[in-house]
Amino acid sequence: MAPETTRIGWVGVGVMGASMCRHLLNAGYALTLTSRSRSKAEPLLAAGAAWVETPEQVALAADIVATMVGTPADVRSVYLGETGVLAGTRPGTVVVDFTTSEPALAREIHTRAHEQNVMALDAPVSGGDVGAREGTLSIMVGGERAAFEALENFWKLFGSRSVYQGSAGSGQHTKMVNQILIASSMVGVCEALLYGFRAGLDLDLVLQSVSTGAAASWSLSNLAPRILKYDFAPGFFVEHFIKDMGIALGEAERLGVVLPGLALAHQLYRAVQAQGHGRAGAQALQLALASLSGVDWPRQR
Amino acid sequence: MAPETTRIGWVGVGVMGASMCRHLLNAGYALTLTSRSRSKAEPLLAAGAAWVETPEQVALAADIVATMVGTPADVRSVYLGETGVLAGTRPGTVVVDFTTSEPALAREIHTRAHEQNVMALDAPVSGGDVGAREGTLSIMVGGERAAFEALENFWKLFGSRSVYQGSAGSGQHTKMVNQILIASSMVGVCEALLYGFRAGLDLDLVLQSVSTGAAASWSLSNLAPRILKYDFAPGFFVEHFIKDMGIALGEAERLGVVLPGLALAHQLYRAVQAQGHGRAGAQALQLALASLSGVDWPRQR
């Protein structure tokens, strides 16, 4: 694939999608897009992207169609709806869903696409808004290996790492593994800080002792310092994380796997949302955990 | 302090203590020691250490007395027993407890020591057997700052990092923060691997996708590969971890802090022990978590 010969279509230009489209335009690709609200697309249109009204029209104008939307329900409607992507694809098109969504839905879309000689890949990412902007996402891909390999240059535009994980749905399953890891890790970080705070420790000194060694984690190094500054701005939205954990719990039930730590994290994050912090960053778990103990997390220490 | 002018006493030469004593002998310090079983001390005696029968006798022969024993009950008896350390110390002696133990007990020992003009430091370590052997422990110190600073060269013999955390008990509290972090992190690692296994993923490929980025942790990088090889040999014993989590939960109750993730991890690790793996490494949580779902964790994949 090359900018001269491959036309790209895109559905969904939220925070992640917009950054990823920017990489496509910078690399010189012809880009046709649509999104729920046109206003978010304006900067991309000004930079040369073409606007159409439906996912079907995106697919009609593209050799590769990528999507980055919100929920599994959005994915279903964008792919399988009356004016959805699969209404516009032709044999040979490749469709790529970057949304974190349900493995079973990824398999359903794959089957429907396959019937039309279209190759569908599920390719959720981790690395958040910063990773999307800086092109350092980790991309976890399920579907036909040949399609994954044909898109080698495409992945490189967005990610420092893309790994083929197996048949359709495997990308989504791998993303669930990623989210299960983060869920309990965040519980540990916030409980540890709460304990340390109530024990009267100087938490900056504590982080010096525990941030390397066996307790080290990305969450601790990157989110604990924000929590200590009372900075709960999103990197990664609480409500998106709850959606992801809900998908993982549903899949776990289907697979017959008991995950008590994930279930606890999911409930605690629901408390974060119930307390009005659904649009805060994942580190806002600190506020709900503190409230469990009747503690107001301090704005100033 | 220097080898020519400072005599060291030591109580407890298990895996950790023995490695730490080795560093003292290598640095040329005169070392007097005792331990529950003399047999474990023999290699150190052969290398020049002197044996005595009681902690009191250790203290009588030393300017600095260090201890590295098992449980808070051991710490109490080693310091406060009839032939304990504080029966043998003179004014000006410094005593250092490296054991992971109760913050309240550390304060009690500190008070009793202070009455005798002895300075007591609580100085639990993280980094495990490897850290002790290689001199790369993280040491978290509570007690008088002056005593901490006077022992600067002493800490350097054992650790790549020593941080003064505050008054007596603060070292133990900081170690509890460390263990709270590890507890939930391990739950996340083992649940994530179980999910991935049952989802039919290739777990080596999965680790390629998730071991960097927002899900990264020391536990994931160091213990997940052992779990995949069915290697449950101890670095860090399950039964020691259960003891530490029990201390943290007791302190949390005293502090009025609710820690549901730690409580869950503690119960799950009790299941690991109940299933006969108390002397396995902390990564044996995988076996108990798999058994919850009726899954035999595979020896071969």
Side-chain angles (χ1 to χ4, degrees):
Chain A
M1 60 172 283
E4 301 76 36
T5 56
T6 308
R7 300 166 305 154
I8 313 285
W10 198 281
V11 181
V13 292
V15 175
M16 299 289 290
S19 289
M20 294 171 81
C21 283
R22 188 65 68 174
H23 292 301
L24 290 168
L25 292 171
N26 289 346
Y29 283 93
L31 179 63
T32 302
L33 58 79
T34 193
S35 198
R36 199 144 44 188
S37 69
R38 179 163 171 152
S39 63
K40 284 193 186 160
E42 291 297 351
L44 295 165
L45 303 179
W51 174 265
V52 294
E53 292 297 330
T54 68
E56 178 184 16
Q57 290 172 325
V58 167
L60 286 168
D63 307 302
I64 298 173
V65 181
T67 54
M68 179 59 117
V69 296
T71 66
D74 297 331
V75 171
R76 177 174 292 281
S77 121
V78 160
Y79 276 92
L80 306 177
E82 210 173 310
T83 59
V85 168
L86 291 186
T89 47
R90 286 142 299 115
T93 307
V94 181
V95 302
V96 179
D97 186 21
F98 288 113
T99 318
T100 296
S101 173
E102 294 166 356
L105 177 57
R107 286 192 296 274
E108 182 181 345
I109 290 168
H110 181 270
T111 300
R112 295 278 292 274
H114 190 72
E115 291 164 3
Q116 304 176 213
N117 287 310
V118 167
M119 286 183 288
L121 297 171
D122 51 301
V125 303
S126 83
D129 54 338
V130 175
R133 205 161 53 237
E134 298 181 353
T136 57
L137 296 171
S138 171
I139 311 177
M140 307 158 229
V141 187
E144 286 95 349
R145 183 188 287 274
F148 167 78
E149 289 173 352
L151 266 57
E152 187 183 342
N153 293 327
F154 186 68
W155 310 125
K156 281 189 184 155
L157 294 169
F158 312 113
S160 53
R161 184 186 296 258
S162 61
V163 179
Y164 177 71
Q165 293 290 348
S167 61
S170 299
Q172 296 298 350
H173 273 312
T174 304
K175 180 67 186 280
M176 292 302 117
V177 169
N178 193 77
Q179 303 307 72
I180 293 167
L181 287 163
I182 294 173
S184 283
S185 182
M186 285 306 301
V187 171
V189 167
C190 295
E191 290 192 357
L193 292 179
L194 179 64
Y195 175 98
F197 170 66
R198 289 284 286 182
L201 298 174
D202 178 328
L203 292 177
D204 294 302
L205 287 178
V206 169
L207 291 184
Q208 285 182 34
S209 279
V210 304
S211 286
T212 57
S217 70
W218 187 97
S219 302
L220 184 65
S221 297
N222 289 274
L223 298 183
R226 295 192 207 173
I227 291 167
L228 298 191
K229 283 183 247 162
Y230 207 89
D231 170 7
F232 297 109
F236 182 51
F237 287 117
V238 164
E239 60 189 28
H240 291 173
F241 196 25
I242 291 173
K243 173 204 68 161
D244 294 357
M245 287 188 281
I247 295 171
L249 285 166
E251 285 297 314
E253 190 163 341
R254 199 184 60 74
L255 293 167
V257 177
V258 179
L259 302 179
L262 178 64
L264 173 62
H266 183 246
Q267 292 294 308
L268 290 173
Y269 268 100
R270 287 189 53 218
V272 180
Q273 190 175 36
Q275 293 175 21
H277 307 296
R279 298 291 288 173
Q283 71 273 26
L285 177 60
Q286 191 71 55
L287 300 173
L289 254 177
S291 77
L292 265 186
S293 302
V295 171
D296 271 330
W297 190 249
R299 284 171 193 275
Q300 302 281 339
R301 283 175 308 123
Chain B
M1 60 171 285
E4 301 75 35
T5 55
T6 309
R7 299 166 306 154
I8 312 285
W10 198 282
V11 181
V13 292
V15 175
M16 300 289 290
S19 289
M20 295 170 82
C21 284
R22 188 64 67 174
H23 293 301
L24 290 167
L25 292 172
N26 289 346
Y29 283 94
L31 179 63
T32 301
L33 59 80
T34 192
S35 197
R36 197 143 47 186
S37 69
R38 178 163 173 153
S39 62
K40 284 193 187 162
E42 290 296 352
L44 295 165
L45 303 180
W51 175 264
V52 293
E53 292 297 329
T54 67
E56 178 184 16
Q57 291 172 326
V58 167
L60 285 168
D63 307 301
I64 298 174
V65 181
T67 54
M68 180 58 118
V69 295
T71 65
D74 297 331
V75 171
R76 176 174 293 281
S77 122
V78 160
Y79 276 92
L80 306 178
E82 209 173 312
T83 58
V85 167
L86 291 185
T89 47
R90 286 141 300 113
T93 307
V94 181
V95 301
V96 179
D97 185 21
F98 288 114
T99 317
T100 296
S101 173
E102 295 166 356
L105 178 57
R107 286 192 297 275
E108 183 182 344
I109 290 169
H110 180 269
T111 301
R112 293 279 292 275
H114 190 72
E115 291 163 3
Q116 305 177 212
N117 286 311
V118 167
M119 286 185 288
L121 297 170
D122 50 302
V125 303
S126 82
D129 54 338
V130 175
R133 205 162 51 237
E134 297 180 354
T136 57
L137 296 170
S138 170
I139 311 176
M140 307 157 229
V141 187
E144 287 95 348
R145 183 188 287 276
F148 168 77
E149 288 172 353
L151 265 58
E152 188 185 341
N153 293 328
F154 185 66
W155 310 125
K156 281 189 185 156
L157 294 169
F158 312 115
S160 52
R161 183 185 297 259
S162 61
V163 179
Y164 177 71
Q165 293 290 349
S167 61
S170 299
Q172 296 298 350
H173 273 313
T174 304
K175 179 67 186 281
M176 292 302 118
V177 168
N178 192 76
Q179 303 308 71
I180 293 168
L181 286 163
I182 294 173
S184 283
S185 182
M186 285 306 302
V187 171
V189 167
C190 295
E191 290 192 357
L193 292 179
L194 179 63
Y195 175 99
F197 169 66
R198 289 283 286 180
L201 298 174
D202 178 327
L203 293 177
D204 294 302
L205 287 177
V206 169
L207 291 184
Q208 285 182 33
S209 279
V210 305
S211 286
T212 57
S217 69
W218 187 96
S219 302
L220 185 66
S221 297
N222 289 273
L223 298 183
R226 294 192 208 173
I227 292 167
L228 297 191
K229 282 183 251 165
Y230 207 88
D231 170 7
F232 298 107
F236 182 51
F237 287 117
V238 164
E239 60 189 29
H240 290 173
F241 196 25
I242 292 173
K243 172 204 67 160
D244 295 356
M245 288 188 280
I247 295 171
L249 286 166
E251 286 296 314
E253 189 163 343
R254 200 184 60 75
L255 294 166
V257 177
V258 179
L259 302 179
L262 178 64
L264 174 62
H266 183 246
Q267 291 294 308
L268 291 173
Y269 268 99
R270 287 190 52 218
V272 180
Q273 189 176 37
Q275 293 174 22
H277 307 296
R279 298 290 289 173
Q283 70 274 25
L285 176 60
Q286 190 71 56
L287 300 172
L289 254 176
S291 77
L292 266 185
S293 302
V295 171
D296 271 330
W297 190 251
R299 286 172 191 275
Q300 302 282 338
R301 285 175 305 123

